C-alpha cells in the first residue's frame, strides 16, 4: 500500500516492547494497529509516534487489528500546552470513541489537521473544534435537523431543546431560541452570540454517539477551569 498520512489518536503498551495504537488516516479513517518494538529503549519509532505529530504509515493485516510496517515523520508536532493541549486531547478522545474502524472520513481528517494548526491560538480554538465536531456528525449521518420532529420550521420566538430520538428540536425550556437555531443551521458559528449555542448543540448531538462513559478530557478541562477560578471572599 502507499504510505498514508496519519495522526496518532491513542496509544497504550502492549506486551513487553510494543504498543496498541489508534490512528486517524486520510483514506481509511480510524485504524487500530500494533506498533511492534516502539516501547523498546532507543527505538527511533518511539519518538515519532507522538500525539499531534503528522506521520506517514503503512500496515498489513486483513482483520480489524493491523500491524504497522512503515512509520515516518512528515513534519513537526503541534506545540500545545494548557487549554490548547486539553482541546487536542478532547479531539483525539472524541474521534477514538465515535469513529467506526476503517470508515473513510477525509473531511474529518482535513478539519482535524486544521484544528491542530488553530489550537495554539486561543481565539481560534472554539471555531476549529465546532467545525471538527459538526464534520464528524455529518460523516456519521448524525447532524442535527433544524426543524421540529415533524419537519416544521422553528418559531424564531420559541425556545427549543434537542431531541435525541429524532435529531430535531422540540419546544422546551431551558433551551435555545428558534432564531439562534436558524442561524446555526447556516453554519455561521462565528457570528456574535453563537459560540455558546453551537457548543451546546454539538454536545447534545454527540452525546448518543459517546454513550454514558464520561470523556476524560472534559473532566480535565473542568479541573483546569476550577483552578483558574478566582477565590471567593
Amino acid at each position: 500500500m502507499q504510505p498514508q498520512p496519519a495522526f496518532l489518536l491513542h496509544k497504550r503498551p502492549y506486551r513487553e516492547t510494543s504498543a496498541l495504537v489508534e490512528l486517524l488516516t486520510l483514506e481509511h479513517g480510524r485504524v487500530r494497529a500494533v506498533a511492534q518494538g516502539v516501547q523498546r529503549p532507543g527505538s527511533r519509532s518511539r519518538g515519532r509516534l507522538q500525539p499531534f505529530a503528522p506521520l506517514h504509515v503503512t500496515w498489513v493485516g486483513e482483520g480489524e487489528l493491523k500491524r504497522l510496517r512503515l512509520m515516518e515523520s512528515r513534519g513537526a508536532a503541534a506545540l500545545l500546552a494548557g487549554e490548547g493541549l486539553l482541546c487536542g486531547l478532547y479531539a483525539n478522545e472524541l474521534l477514538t470513541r465515535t469513529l467506526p474502524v476503517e470508515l473513510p472520513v477525509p473531511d474529518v481528517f482535513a478539519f482535524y489537521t486544521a484544528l491542530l494548526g488553530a489550537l495554539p491560538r486561543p481565539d481560534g480554538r472554539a471555531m476549529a473544534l465546532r467545525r471538527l465536531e459538526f464534520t464528524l456528525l455529518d460523516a456519521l449521518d448524525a447532524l442535527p435537523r433544524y426543524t421540529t420532529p415533524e419537519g416544521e420550521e422553528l418559531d424564531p420566538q420559541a425556545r427549543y431543546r434537542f431531541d435525541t430520538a429524532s435529531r430535531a428540536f422540540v419546544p422546551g425550556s431551558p433551551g435555545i431560541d428558534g432564531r439562534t437555531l436558524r442561524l446555526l443551521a447556516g453554519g455561521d458559528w462565528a457570528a456574535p452570540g453563537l459560540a455558546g449555542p453551537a457548543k451546546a448543540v454539538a454536545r447534545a448531538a454527540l452525546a448518543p454517539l459517546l454513550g454514558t462513559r464520561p470523556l476524560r478530557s472534559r473532566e480535565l478541562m473542568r479541573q483546569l477551569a476550577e483552578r483558574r477560578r478566582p477565590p471567593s471572599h
Side-chain angles (χ1 to χ4, degrees):
M1 67 180 300
Q2 292 294 316
Q4 278 284 302
F7 290 97
L8 175 70
L9 298 177
H10 186 259
K11 177 177 71 172
R12 62 186 176 90
Y14 178 66
R15 295 180 176 170
E16 292 185 4
T17 62
S18 300
L20 288 174
V21 299
E22 303 267 359
L23 301 168
L24 177 65
T25 70
L26 176 60
E27 295 181 3
H28 298 265
R30 182 169 71 93
V31 170
R32 300 182 66 241
V34 175
Q36 293 179 319
V38 296
Q39 301 291 92
R40 186 181 298 118
S43 168
R44 288 184 297 175
S45 297
R46 184 174 186 172
R48 299 183 190 129
L49 194 59
Q50 300 296 329
F52 318 122
L55 302 167
H56 273 130
V57 299
T58 62
W59 59 83
V60 294
E62 298 300 324
E64 184 175 298
L65 186 63
K66 312 298 184 184
R67 179 168 60 86
L68 288 186
R69 292 190 62 186
L70 171 73
M71 186 168 39
E72 296 179 341
S73 171
R74 59 183 180 92
L79 298 178
L80 304 179
E83 187 179 85
L85 174 61
L86 293 181
C87 290
L89 294 175
Y90 162 74
N92 285 2
E93 191 175 10
L94 177 66
L95 296 177
T96 301
R97 290 269 297 270
T98 60
L99 278 178
V101 173
E102 294 190 73
L103 172 70
V105 284
D107 288 344
V108 172
F109 187 93
F111 280 106
Y112 179 86
T113 303
L115 172 69
L116 296 186
L119 287 181
R121 307 188 307 274
D123 61 341
R125 290 170 189 157
M127 174 65 71
L129 278 172
R130 298 296 86 77
R131 292 198 183 282
L132 177 66
E133 288 170 336
F134 280 98
T135 302
L136 174 63
L137 287 167
D138 189 20
L140 299 178
D141 196 25
L143 276 175
R145 297 166 49 219
Y146 293 94
T147 66
T148 68
E150 296 76 26
E152 298 173 353
E153 288 189 3
L154 302 179
D155 180 350
Q157 306 303 319
R159 300 192 73 82
Y160 296 89
R161 57 181 176 81
F162 183 75
D163 177 62
T164 300
S166 64
R167 301 202 316 273
F169 291 86
V170 296
S173 185
I176 302 173
D177 63 89
R179 175 185 173 276
T180 296
L181 290 171
R182 286 186 175 191
L183 292 173
L184 289 178
D188 185 15
W189 311 310
L194 293 190
K199 180 178 180 179
V201 170
R203 178 168 289 198
L206 287 165
L209 304 176
L210 289 167
T212 58
R213 182 161 53 97
L215 287 172
R216 175 61 177 156
S217 51
R218 280 184 182 161
E219 174 61 19
L220 293 173
M221 287 182 186
R222 185 190 63 79
Q223 293 174 6
L224 177 64
E226 287 184 352
R227 288 199 297 268
R228 289 178 171 177
R229 188 176 302 151
S232 58
H233 298 285

